[in-house]
C-alpha cells in the first residue's frame, strides 16, 4: 500500500504560514478553503488505495528547512519537507 505524507497546517498558523511562503498566490485565502481542498484530496487518495499520513507543519521548522537549503518556500520545497516527515 502506498503511504503519502500530506502537509497539515493548523488553523492558528494559517496567517503566519501565508506570510512566509513564496507562492502565496497559489494558496487559498482562508484556512477553511484550504482545509476543504485538503480533505477532498485525502479522500480521493484513500479511495484509490493509498494510505495518507497527516504531517503537522511546524512553521518555524519549515522556514529553517528552506533557509538552510537556500530554497524558496514554495510547493516543491514544502512537499520535500513533508515527505521527510516535517523535519
Amino acid at each position: 500500500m502506498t503511504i503519502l505524507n500530506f502537509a497539515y497546517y493548523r488553523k492558528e498558523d494559517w496567517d503566519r504560514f501565508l506570510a512566509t511562503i513564496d507562492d502565496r498566490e497559489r494558496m487559498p485565502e482562508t484556512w477553511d478553503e484550504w482545509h476543504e481542498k485538503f480533505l477532498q484530496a485525502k479522500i480521493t487518495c484513500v479511495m484509490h488505495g493509498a494510505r495518507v499520513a497527516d504531517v503537522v507543519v511546524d512553521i518555524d521548522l519549515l522556514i529553517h528547512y528552506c533557509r538552510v537549503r537556500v530554497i524558496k518556500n514554495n510547493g516543491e520545497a514544502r512537499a520535500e519537507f513533508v515527505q521527510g516527515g516535517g523535519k
Side-chain angles (χ1 to χ4, degrees):
M1 175 180 285
T2 303
I3 300 175
L4 302 172
N5 286 350
F6 270 34
Y8 185 84
Y9 305 102
R10 293 177 292 233
K11 190 171 190 171
E12 61 268 21
D13 292 337
W14 188 251
D15 290 337
R16 181 161 182 250
F17 167 69
L18 291 180
T20 65
I21 63 176
D22 290 299
D23 55 350
R24 169 68 188 92
E25 71 284 352
R26 299 186 73 198
M27 297 301 285
E29 282 294 317
T30 68
W31 181 87
D32 290 323
E33 291 174 70
W34 168 81
H35 192 248
E36 184 175 324
K37 290 179 181 189
F38 168 85
L39 291 175
Q40 289 171 355
K42 189 173 177 177
I43 289 167
T44 299
C45 289
V46 170
M47 288 176 58
H48 285 92
R51 188 168 151 231
V52 177
D54 297 349
V55 176
V56 177
V57 176
D58 179 309
I59 304 304
D60 290 324
L61 288 178
L62 174 61
I63 292 168
H64 177 75
Y65 178 90
C66 292
R67 282 187 183 152
V68 166
R69 287 162 181 76
V70 192
I71 57 176
K72 290 186 176 191
N73 185 343
N74 60 22
E76 184 178 332
R78 292 188 300 272
E80 290 173 14
F81 177 75
V82 170
Q83 292 314 308
K87 298 176 182 167

